[in-house]
Amino acid sequence: MTALAIGAGGLVAYNLLGKPETETEQSNSPAIGSSVNGRNKVVVGLSQEPTVFNPLMVHTEPDDGVLFSMFDALVRMDPKGIVRPNLAVEVPSLENGGISQDGLNWRVRLRDDVRWHDGRPFTAEDVKFTLELITNPDFRAWRTAGHTLVRDITVISPTELTWRMEQPFAPYLSFLTETFIVPRHMLEGEADPNAAPFNQAPVGTGAFKWGNRVPGDHLELVANPDYFGDGPYIDRLIFKYIPDVTVLYTQFKSGSVDLVGQVYISPDNYEEARRLPGKVVEPVLASSVESFYLNLGRPQFKELAVRQALFAALDREAIVGSLYHGVPVVTETFMPQQSFYYNPDLPRQEYDPGKARRILDDAGWVPGDDGIRVKNGVRLAFENSTTSGDHLREMVQQYLQQTFREIGAEMTIANLPPAVMWGDFWTQSRFDSVIVGSTYLIGADPDVTNRLHSKSIVIQGGSGSNNAQYVNKEVDALLEKGAQTFDPEERRAIYFRIQEIVRHDLPLLPMFQYKNVFGRSAEIKGFEANSNTRTESWNAASWYLADGRKKPKSDRNRPRTSRSSSLSRAMES
Amino acid sequence: MLRFLLNRITQIVVLLIIVSIIGFFILNLIPGGPLAQYALDPGMTQDDIERLKEQLGLNRPIYVQYLDWAWRLVRGDWGHSFRDGAPVLDVIGGHMFATLLLMGTSTAIAIAVGTWVGIRGATHRYSTFDHVATIGAMIALSIPTFWFGLVGIYIFSLQLGWLPAGNMYTVGEESVLDYLHHLIMPSIVLALVHIAVWSRYMRTATLDVINQDFVKTARAKGLSERRILMKHVVGNALLPMITLAGMQLPSLLTGALVTETVFTWPGMGRLFLDSISYGDYPVVMGLLMFSAILVIFGNLLADIAVAIVDPRIRLS
């Protein structure tokens, strides 16, 4: 029962790494600058400082590494995008009755062997308290979508609870993977949950316990020997804040940082980094997709032919190869390739300026005296904006400016500082076109209503971030159906179709999917990237050191208990 | 003396109010603000952002926000950081030790070396030593600190492996020796500029004194050159340096932004930069008030010290 929580995801890593070495006792030999040797700790370098430790409060990516290490959620998302049990003994589904056929009634069964770091038992009351705290109007909660639909939370027993949903909402299961459970006994008596002492020294159920924090410098977590799940195998997990990315990389080289976390290694350092001795440096697919994003409210972009022509004039291979050092991968869709819902059969775009010109000729866009095409009084001229100071994107813009000019389209560069760019200019659709890297999925759920549904257009009175003002009734209907469909296979078909339509309509011209260049000391084993989470440290519980004192038992390659593996099959089917 | 102090304190209060108003309004003019970092989070809806604005009181008119902040400050409540929720004074206090350690060490080095170089340059005017010191000071003043820092890291950390490439200590292995080991490079890099400044001032001040009549008198009395230098020349030459020290006092606590960034030193300079970039208004305002107070009191202390040391000056 002890090694059940992380689920089959962990198996992949151990198989890839070969058989785990035998356990050895390593003498402590302190080495200057190297923190791995014999010390059984891992230093993760982050360029942003983790500062929010109440997992339910509003926070950003760098906090996630700490939260994943200290807390557990009911369920977790594995690297393949499949939901696994965590504090729950099984993932609620239609088949196991955890979710009723109409999607409205949920029942979750919990583990009975979980204790908080202070020794108190974890029970269904904690889950109830957590879900209620999120929707407390005075609480500075993070995402509330989905949680606001929950009604009548009922604790059946310490290991079982039920609730009712106001309407069926399939993405909620994914949202629960990032909803960490907090202890009721620590927070219930607090007059102001925003200022509770818990927020500065939290108590969780996770593999690591709170150690100490030096603001502006580092945060130290220590192993929780009573963890109910797999691990931990390192004594201490340290998140070291190094704001300058060059300095972060230098400290990785010199060995004072064992693992480069957010924002990882910059693509221009990749060539050098991969040759560093004693380091493992590899690009890992991220979830964000870079696109040439169009405002369909502009007359220039209303016609499909124009969007098709611009897409044909987009030399993505050259952009990725020359400007991005070949690190990212060209893509045809907004859906990340590691997702269970990624449609691999979309038509491949080819760079073909001749075709682009033909499309525009056929559509009646005639070149004017200055070579810029005109149709019905509309000039094929537009502005393109992105974050100023983003060196690589500025080069992409200059390159596109030329290629678009060759097909008779005039692009003007009008960049803005980030705070202005992503403010009203972006949310109120005041741009012509934008180069943007966006994550479309929330908690790795394929639901993109927020981005592509016509009711999500803010400037037309909606709520969401469909800033392209994309309207397609079929997509609307599919999105509505997808959000209420619980069967993974059935959902997959829906989102495959949505990707097809969007690829055809081209409200955004997909360019590439980002990769983050992960770097770590070769001493660290058990590491596995999971682009369905926002952090590199999602499974620190499974990390161990090649010469460390603790290691996973050699029998860890054997399959999990029948319950969890049958569940995995159920979820994957 | 009392009237002088009262006068100065009134000035100080008025000055602080003006600084706080200007600071608060400029800060709010910067686009973005503390919630901008959540704008691209796909799961955060516009409703969520509006709710947080309301909870943090950011949807009120700016003068209401200012008055609210100022009134709390008067009652001793510096507010809480938007980032980690800690009280502002705790946040500032948490970064102060790092800055004091670095700035204290580098200032001590700078004063000791700078004073010596300055005096020797003055007493051995136009000697080889003086020329080298002058050229060295020019170089140290013209080359930016981060360059010295990066070159130092490249040579002593990456190539030779003698010194750590930054940080204040090895996490989890803190010891006095470990601190000292980490302190060497940043404190020397930072001291370089200060030595340059300090030695130039000291040289000029010494030269001013060395040609005075009382020095000639002392020499005529038959005092040893050493005694003249130590008792009559240096004592008097240090007077203007007190003012300089008063002006440098605030930097002891406000930190060195560039050096702290290059060497990953968790001090006040970096706190200031981080707080601005995250729109952490309470901490930025706290730091602003804190450093304004330091600057004012540094100057006040210097004035009083000069008056006490130099009987020719009367405070009125």
Side-chain angles (χ1 to χ4, degrees):
Chain A
M1 193 67 184
T2 48
L4 200 139
I6 298 300
L11 293 176
V12 181
Y14 297 120
N15 290 338
L16 285 176
L17 288 164
K19 70 173 177 39
E21 290 111 300
T22 50
E23 295 195 39
T24 49
E25 195 73 30
Q26 187 74 20
S27 64
N28 288 4
S29 52
I32 292 160
S34 165
S35 37
V36 168
N37 288 348
R39 291 281 172 159
N40 229 20
K41 70 174 182 190
V42 171
V43 179
V44 179
L46 300 170
S47 70
Q48 283 175 286
E49 187 187 5
T51 53
V52 179
F53 311 113
N54 181 328
L56 306 181
M57 288 182 79
V58 60
H59 62 269
T60 53
E61 287 93 336
D63 302 311
D64 273 1
V66 181
L67 302 178
F68 269 92
S69 304
M70 284 196 68
F71 291 93
D72 290 290
L74 293 176
V75 284
R76 270 194 186 184
M77 185 79 76
D78 81 0
K80 289 184 184 142
I82 294 158
V83 179
R84 308 282 184 195
N86 186 1
L87 286 170
V89 290
E90 57 184 11
V91 178
S93 67
L94 298 180
E95 291 123 56
N96 65 25
I99 302 171
S100 63
Q101 289 304 317
D102 58 6
L104 292 177
N105 294 299
W106 290 53
R107 189 197 64 228
V108 178
R109 293 208 180 91
L110 304 170
R111 302 178 63 109
D112 59 2
D113 58 347
V114 181
R115 286 187 176 272
W116 294 100
H117 293 157
D118 61 4
R120 302 272 287 262
F122 154 83
T123 73
E125 291 290 349
D126 295 307
V127 181
K128 179 172 192 272
F129 176 79
T130 298
L131 296 179
E132 285 170 349
L133 181 58
I134 294 170
T135 51
N136 177 343
D138 296 324
F139 182 60
R140 286 183 214 146
W142 188 40
R143 304 166 173 172
T144 55
H147 299 297
T148 49
L149 300 172
V150 174
R151 303 280 184 279
D152 309 334
I153 306 171
T154 313
V155 172
I156 309 287
S157 78
T159 56
E160 188 175 349
L161 79 162
T162 61
W163 66 77
R164 182 174 65 78
M165 301 292 284
E166 192 64 16
Q167 65 188 62
F169 188 57
Y172 195 49
L173 189 62
S174 294
F175 291 9
L176 287 176
T177 65
E178 292 183 347
T179 305
F180 296 104
I181 307 302
V182 298
R184 184 178 79 145
H185 66 275
M186 299 286 296
L187 283 161
E188 194 176 39
E190 294 291 341
D192 179 8
N194 300 307
F198 170 85
N199 304 345
Q200 306 287 330
V203 168
T205 52
F208 293 90
K209 299 198 273 194
W210 184 259
N212 70 81
R213 170 173 181 244
V214 178
D217 191 65
H218 76 275
L219 170 70
E220 181 174 342
L221 303 182
V222 294
N224 171 16
D226 304 319
Y227 186 50
F228 64 87
D230 181 20
Y233 303 105
I234 51 173
D235 296 337
R236 286 178 300 166
L237 175 62
I238 291 152
F239 294 95
K240 167 83 186 149
Y241 169 49
I242 301 168
D244 188 287
V245 283
T246 313
V247 178
L248 174 55
Y249 178 61
T250 306
Q251 295 207 5
F252 173 61
K253 279 205 286 186
S254 79
S256 40
V257 161
D258 303 317
L259 197 149
V260 183
Q262 221 109 36
V263 292
Y264 314 104
I265 295 171
S266 67
D268 43 337
N269 280 331
Y270 171 56
E271 273 307 309
E272 186 203 53
R274 56 192 284 244
R275 290 179 226 282
L276 292 175
K279 315 277 184 199
V280 181
V281 173
E282 55 194 1
V284 172
L285 276 173
S287 52
S288 60
V289 170
E290 184 94 338
S291 65
F292 197 90
Y293 192 87
L294 306 169
N295 182 353
L296 304 191
R298 296 284 186 265
Q300 306 91 307
F301 300 135
K302 280 199 190 305
E303 197 177 332
L304 178 61
V306 171
R307 307 195 299 263
Q308 286 172 334
L310 291 177
F311 197 37
L314 206 59
D315 192 352
R316 307 185 302 175
E317 303 289 347
I319 290 170
V320 168
S322 321
L323 299 179
Y324 283 85
H325 302 267
V327 174
V329 285
V330 166
T331 187
E332 304 295 335
T333 178
F334 56 86
M335 189 72 75
Q337 305 189 359
Q338 65 273 24
S339 170
F340 177 69
Y341 299 91
Y342 167 73
N343 183 344
D345 304 321
L346 299 171
R348 287 282 293 177
Q349 177 261 18
E350 300 287 343
Y351 170 59
D352 187 349
K355 181 180 161 200
R357 276 189 287 267
R358 272 197 308 281
I359 296 173
L360 289 171
D361 287 341
D362 294 349
W365 289 84
V366 186
D369 299 337
D370 54 357
I372 304 304
R373 292 171 189 265
V374 184
K375 180 181 177 182
N376 301 334
V378 178
R379 264 183 104 230
L380 191 45
F382 54 89
E383 286 190 344
N384 181 264
S385 311
T386 194
T387 317
S388 54
D390 190 325
H391 187 53
L392 284 172
R393 280 198 187 137
E394 282 169 357
M395 290 199 286
V396 171
Q397 284 178 316
Q398 286 157 16
Y399 180 66
L400 291 180
Q401 201 170 30
Q402 286 174 25
T403 52
F404 287 164
R405 187 77 181 73
E406 283 163 22
I407 65 160
E410 182 183 71
M411 177 176 126
T412 318
I413 298 171
N415 292 344
L416 296 164
V420 180
M421 178 78 214
W422 309 116
D424 286 350
F425 181 76
W426 170 241
T427 57
Q428 304 286 329
S429 305
R430 293 190 189 142
F431 55 88
D432 291 344
S433 70
V434 156
I435 295 185
V436 59
S438 313
T439 304
Y440 281 75
L441 307 191
I442 306 169
D445 190 85
D447 180 28
V448 284
T449 304
N450 189 40
R451 297 271 183 184
L452 295 170
H453 197 288
S454 62
K455 72 175 185 198
S456 303
I457 305 171
V458 172
I459 197 174
Q460 296 179 20
S463 167
S465 44
N466 181 354
N467 305 329
Q469 308 194 53
Y470 173 57
V471 181
N472 182 313
K473 290 296 155 211
E474 191 186 350
V475 170
D476 284 357
L478 284 165
L479 285 169
E480 282 156 31
K481 192 174 168 213
Q484 305 200 357
T485 304
F486 288 84
D487 179 67
E489 277 306 327
E490 222 177 299
R491 287 193 92 193
R492 203 178 197 183
I494 294 171
Y495 291 99
F496 270 37
R497 177 68 190 136
I498 292 175
Q499 289 171 73
E500 263 172 46
I501 301 172
V502 172
R503 170 66 180 79
H504 172 265
D505 289 350
L506 292 172
L508 53 108
L509 315 179
M511 286 163 61
F512 56 82
Q513 187 179 342
Y514 276 98
K515 277 187 178 177
N516 294 321
V517 180
F518 280 36
R520 62 179 191 273
S521 158
E523 306 263 293
I524 301 174
K525 309 288 179 192
F527 176 89
E528 191 182 9
N530 183 349
S531 311
N532 295 307
T533 68
R534 304 194 299 172
T535 173
E536 68 295 321
S537 306
W538 72 285
N539 75 334
S542 301
W543 297 353
Y544 62 98
L545 300 179
D547 62 354
R549 287 190 293 278
K550 289 180 221 157
K551 285 185 190 161
K553 299 277 181 297
S554 50
D555 63 354
R556 287 163 49 106
N557 279 334
R558 130 199 119 173
R560 300 279 159 186
T561 61
S562 57
R563 181 167 52 181
S564 84
S565 48
S566 66
L567 238 164
S568 320
R569 276 198 297 279
M571 289 305 297
E572 270 168 305
S573 63
Chain B
M1 185 76 174
L2 191 67
R3 172 176 292 178
F4 163 80
L5 278 180
L6 277 176
N7 240 332
R8 285 293 287 262
I9 287 170
T10 319
Q11 285 175 16
I12 287 169
V13 171
V14 174
L15 203 60
L16 285 178
I17 293 175
I18 295 173
V19 167
S20 71
I21 292 178
I22 296 175
F24 199 91
F25 284 83
I26 288 182
L27 194 55
N28 277 274
L29 282 180
I30 304 173
L35 299 176
Q37 52 181 320
Y38 308 117
L40 288 180
D41 182 334
M44 291 284 285
T45 61
Q46 198 59 33
D47 294 346
D48 283 329
I49 301 279
E50 292 303 324
R51 166 179 56 81
L52 286 163
K53 249 186 209 166
E54 165 116 32
Q55 288 169 339
L56 292 169
L58 293 171
N59 55 350
R60 299 171 299 171
I62 180 160
Y63 67 91
V64 175
Q65 291 184 44
Y66 173 77
L67 290 175
D68 183 49
W69 171 83
W71 177 235
R72 282 170 197 269
L73 187 69
V74 169
R75 288 176 300 162
D77 176 5
W78 290 60
H80 289 74
S81 162
F82 284 165
R83 293 174 69 203
D84 63 3
V88 168
L89 282 185
D90 288 6
V91 174
I92 294 177
H95 287 74
M96 208 184 292
F97 170 72
T99 287
L100 254 173
L101 181 67
L102 176 61
M103 298 303 292
T105 314
S106 78
T107 309
I109 296 174
I111 290 182
V113 178
T115 308
W116 179 75
V117 171
I119 294 171
R120 200 178 150 83
T123 53
H124 298 74
R125 212 170 161 193
Y126 305 132
S127 65
T128 314
F129 177 87
D130 191 30
H131 287 305
V132 170
T134 307
I135 294 168
M138 287 307 134
I139 293 175
L141 281 172
S142 355
I143 293 179
T145 320
F146 76 84
W147 188 86
F148 282 120
L150 291 177
V151 168
I153 289 174
Y154 180 76
I155 296 174
F156 295 105
S157 308
L158 293 182
Q159 297 300 315
L160 298 173
W162 292 351
L163 295 169
N167 302 334
M168 192 159 79
Y169 48 80
T170 313
V171 178
E173 285 155 43
E174 299 93 337
S175 67
V176 175
L177 269 181
D178 187 56
Y179 270 92
L180 288 178
H181 194 212
H182 283 80
L183 191 56
I184 296 171
M185 206 157 37
S187 60
I188 290 179
V189 164
L190 195 55
L192 281 177
V193 178
H194 290 287
I195 292 173
V197 174
W198 202 269
S199 66
R200 297 316 291 164
Y201 273 100
M202 194 64 205
R203 182 177 179 274
T204 314
T206 312
L207 280 177
D208 276 352
V209 177
I210 224 162
N211 295 321
Q212 300 267 339
D213 288 343
F214 67 85
V215 177
K216 286 185 190 132
T217 313
R219 211 169 264 138
K221 277 200 301 187
L223 290 180
S224 71
E225 274 302 312
R226 186 183 166 77
R227 184 114 192 249
I228 294 170
L229 191 66
M230 296 315 288
K231 192 169 158 66
H232 296 279
V233 176
V234 174
N236 283 295
L238 278 175
L239 272 180
M241 307 309 282
I242 294 178
T243 314
L244 183 65
M247 279 158 63
Q248 286 199 345
L249 181 75
S251 75
L252 272 183
L253 291 172
T254 51
L257 205 147
V258 174
T259 316
E260 287 178 4
T261 303
V262 172
F263 289 100
T264 332
W265 202 267
M268 305 278 275
R270 245 183 46 195
L271 175 66
F272 189 62
L273 193 67
D274 282 356
S275 305
I276 286 187
S277 58
Y278 286 94
D280 193 350
Y281 297 160
V283 176
V284 178
M285 285 311 292
L287 283 169
L288 188 66
M289 297 317 289
F290 182 74
S291 41
I293 292 171
L294 279 177
V295 169
I296 290 165
F297 277 93
N299 286 326
L300 181 63
L301 275 182
D303 286 355
I304 294 172
V306 170
I308 291 169
V309 178
D310 188 344
R312 289 170 302 180
I313 295 177
R314 292 275 163 275
L315 299 173
S316 57

